[in-house]
């Protein structure tokens, strides 16, 4: 039996509070972030002047995209803090910030009550959420990768996106319960507020859990080494560029077929609300179920083969996925499930791959800024472009755009070194 195998059980037991705190806090973060896209069809008319429903939805999705613009700023600020004062403290701050913004959306007045001020409140709250999310994902990915055993980092890193999908799935389930319980008029009147208010309250629990987590030993040992930030960032500019190229394809396909697909099906394909949400839940369960397998496989055969399978495989199946996802919930589920198998392979190990690209002294900020730029430019615009391009040029035009970005990411993966089982320093 290898030394790693002998040590793993006590390491898992010792790390359990850290794993739970990281996962549940991250799930809440992405619940708060994802419910915006899920409930857009219901609250869009509450924040923008009367007109067509499509116009209101597009305005709300534009605000969704603006939230992403704030992510690079949040990535820089919180990434710098994570590399200076610690991963744990920064993670507590990000989850508190996004929960507070969620609560603010839940209690905000409507356009009918205060006019354009309602639109401004929504915009500001979304910007604050963008700042928090820009720092949350890099900090959480870095924290989890640093506490993981080197030989099992791929499997452990899958917990990040399992938590992300779980948080989004809880939001979808809540939407399903609300749409089955309330009428469409009630959902547009007050039902949409419930998930935002709940996210704000649960944020208190997440902050408490994260405050009790221990800092990573890797970070603690590295704090004695004083470095100048900007020279280090410049020295690792190649890795930063690779983060952008690696992220663009995964970001767009993930937001299109995991996060925004149910809302798009409701608003543009006219699938029933409950049916679309059930399809989203079922495909998300499949996505979460296969992630540990892909993470473990990357620990055995390497990161690059799994990443290439994910990008090129997703590119190959997206047009069949588009054909499946038509005007019924069953077809939507088939399309999302097929996409989930390929998407899960890449996103499950991205936290490990990112962490293995940078040294400890700039691991959080080195990832946070380029990753947030990629997500802001491509992920934030995905739901808007999916709706607008689909309406103007047809769904195949948008699918071709996603396929092109996946191929770009595949080419970048080919330039990466293999980092399986790399010791983090």
């Amino acid at each position: 039996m290898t030394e790693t195998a002998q040590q793993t059980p006590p390491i898992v037991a010792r790390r359990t509070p850290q794993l739970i705190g990281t996962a549940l806090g991250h799930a809440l973060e992405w619940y708060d972030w994802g419910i915006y896209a899920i409930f857009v069809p219901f609250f869009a008319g509450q924040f923008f002047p009367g007109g067509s429903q499509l116009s209101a939805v597009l305005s709300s999705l534009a605000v969704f995209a603006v939230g992403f613009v704030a992510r690079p700023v949040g990535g820089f600020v919180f990434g710098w803090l994570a590399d200076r004062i610690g991963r744990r403290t920064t993670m507590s701050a990000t989850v508190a910030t996004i929960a507070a913004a969620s609560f603010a959306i839940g209690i905000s007045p409507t356009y009918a009550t205060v006019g354009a001020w309602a639109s401004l409140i929504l915009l500001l709250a979304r910007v604050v959420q963008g700042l928090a999310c820009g720092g949350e994902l890099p900090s959480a990915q870095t924290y989890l990768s640093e506490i993981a055993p080197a030989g099992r980092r791929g499997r452990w890193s899958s917990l990040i996106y399992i938590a992300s999908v779980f948080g989004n799935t809880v939001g979808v389930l809540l939407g399903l319960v609300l749409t089955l319980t309330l009428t469409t008029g009630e959902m547009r009147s007050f039902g949409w507020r419930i998930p935002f208010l709940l996210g704000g309250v649960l944020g208190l629990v997440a902050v408490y859990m994260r405050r009790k987590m221990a800092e990573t030993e890797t970070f603690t040992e590295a704090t004695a080494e004083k470095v100048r930030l900007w020279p280090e960032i410049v020295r690792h500019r190649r890795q930063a560029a690779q983060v952008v190229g690696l992220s663009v394809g995964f970001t767009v396909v993930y937001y299109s077929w995991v996060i925004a697909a149910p809302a798009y099906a409701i608003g543009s394909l006219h699938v029933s609300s409950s049916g679309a949400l059930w399809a989203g839940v079922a495909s998300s369960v499949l996505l979460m179920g296969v992630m540990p397998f892909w993470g473990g496989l990357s620990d055995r055969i390497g990161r690059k083969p799994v990443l290439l399978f994910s990008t090129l495989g997703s590119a190959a199946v997206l047009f069949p996925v588009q054909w499946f996802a038509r005007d019924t919930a069953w077809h939507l589920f088939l399309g999302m499930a097929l996409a989930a198998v390929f998407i899960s392979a890449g996103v499950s190990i991205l936290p490990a791959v990112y962490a293995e690209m940078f040294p400890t002294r700039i691991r959080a900020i080195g990832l946070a800024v380029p990753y947030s730029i990629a997500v802001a430019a491509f992920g934030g615009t995905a739901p808007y472009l999916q709706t607008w391009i689909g309406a103007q040029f047809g769904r195949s035009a948008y699918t071709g755009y996603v396929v092109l970005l996946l191929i770009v990411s595949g080419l970048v993966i080919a330039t990466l070194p293999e980092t399986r089982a790399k010791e983090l320093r």
Side-chain angles (χ1 to χ4, degrees):
M1 183 178 295
T2 66
E3 181 181 354
T4 299
Q6 291 174 334
Q7 291 180 346
T8 297
I11 288 177
V12 172
R14 189 166 64 250
R15 301 301 192 203
T16 296
Q18 295 167 284
L19 293 173
I20 294 174
T22 302
L24 292 185
H26 196 68
L28 176 65
E29 192 99 6
W30 288 92
Y31 162 86
D32 282 331
W33 183 254
I35 55 176
Y36 187 100
I38 294 169
F39 288 89
V40 156
F42 303 111
F43 71 73
Q46 300 293 320
F47 289 96
F48 297 95
S52 71
Q53 178 64 13
L54 177 61
S55 176
V57 168
L58 287 174
S59 296
S60 298
L61 291 178
V63 173
F64 181 83
V66 169
F68 278 83
V69 175
R71 289 183 63 162
V73 179
F76 177 82
V77 173
F78 287 110
W80 179 82
L81 289 173
D83 284 333
R84 289 299 176 268
I85 66 175
R87 314 334 188 177
R88 183 200 65 175
T89 302
T90 304
M91 290 163 62
S92 298
T94 57
V95 77
T97 302
I98 197 170
S102 178
F103 192 80
I105 294 175
I107 64 174
S108 62
T110 65
Y111 189 90
T113 304
V114 297
W117 286 106
S119 306
L120 180 60
I121 291 171
L122 179 67
L123 176 64
L124 291 176
R126 196 60 183 175
V127 168
V128 170
Q129 287 189 323
L131 292 171
C133 279
E136 160 64 18
L137 190 59
S139 300
Q141 290 183 156
T142 298
Y143 184 90
L144 184 61
S145 296
E146 287 182 350
I147 67 172
R152 300 191 68 181
R153 189 176 297 117
R155 184 182 294 275
W156 280 41
S157 75
S158 67
L159 184 62
I160 288 293
Y161 275 91
I162 290 174
S164 299
V165 177
F166 178 77
N168 186 70
T169 302
V170 170
V172 173
L173 281 172
L174 182 56
L176 180 61
V177 170
L178 290 174
T179 55
L180 292 175
T181 304
L182 304 175
T183 66
T184 300
E186 290 171 332
M187 282 295 298
R188 290 177 176 173
S189 175
F190 66 88
W192 64 268
R193 295 183 183 273
I194 296 173
F196 291 99
L197 295 173
L198 182 62
V201 173
L202 291 177
L204 298 174
V205 178
V207 171
Y208 172 77
M209 294 182 63
R210 285 191 164 179
R211 291 291 296 171
K212 296 181 72 67
M213 292 161 49
E215 185 55 80
T216 72
E217 296 175 5
T218 303
F219 172 79
T220 302
E221 293 171 357
T223 53
E225 183 182 1
K226 303 297 183 181
V227 298
R228 296 176 61 191
L229 180 62
W230 286 112
E232 284 296 314
I233 292 176
V234 171
R235 187 176 298 124
H236 292 86
R237 58 189 180 278
R238 175 181 171 85
Q239 288 89 334
Q242 288 173 326
V243 167
V244 173
L246 177 60
S247 302
V248 293
F250 285 115
T251 295
V252 172
V253 75
Y254 181 83
Y255 273 94
S256 299
W257 287 103
V258 178
I259 300 295
Y264 175 78
I266 294 169
S268 299
L269 301 182
H270 309 296
V271 177
S272 68
S273 297
S274 58
L277 294 175
W278 270 122
V281 169
S283 62
S284 293
V285 170
L286 173 64
L287 185 73
M288 290 184 286
V290 297
M291 279 193 201
F293 164 76
W294 293 119
L297 184 65
S298 78
D299 287 328
R300 293 194 295 273
I301 69 172
R303 314 291 191 222
K304 292 180 66 172
V306 176
L307 289 173
L308 288 171
F309 173 85
S310 181
T311 52
L312 301 183
S314 295
V317 303
L318 276 192
F319 280 102
V321 162
Q322 175 191 297
W323 181 85
F324 277 126
R326 289 178 287 175
D327 55 355
T328 69
W330 175 244
H331 284 110
L332 177 64
F333 165 71
L334 288 177
M336 293 183 70
L338 179 59
V341 172
F342 291 91
I343 293 171
S344 63
V347 299
S348 66
I349 64 171
L350 281 178
V353 173
Y354 290 141
E356 291 161 354
M357 294 173 70
F358 295 95
T360 301
R361 57 189 178 271
I362 62 161
R363 181 164 293 126
I365 194 171
L367 162 62
V369 175
Y371 177 81
S372 297
I373 290 172
V375 172
F378 296 93
T381 57
Y384 185 95
L385 290 177
Q386 187 175 32
T387 302
W388 183 76
I389 292 177
Q392 296 295 320
F393 305 104
R395 297 172 64 198
S396 294
Y398 180 77
T399 299
Y401 164 73
V402 179
V403 168
L404 177 62
L405 292 180
L406 285 167
I407 293 173
V408 169
S409 290
L411 293 174
V412 172
I413 291 166
T415 70
L416 297 176
E418 180 55 62
T419 55
R420 176 175 63 91
K422 178 181 179 180
E423 293 290 343
L424 300 183
R425 294 182 175 85

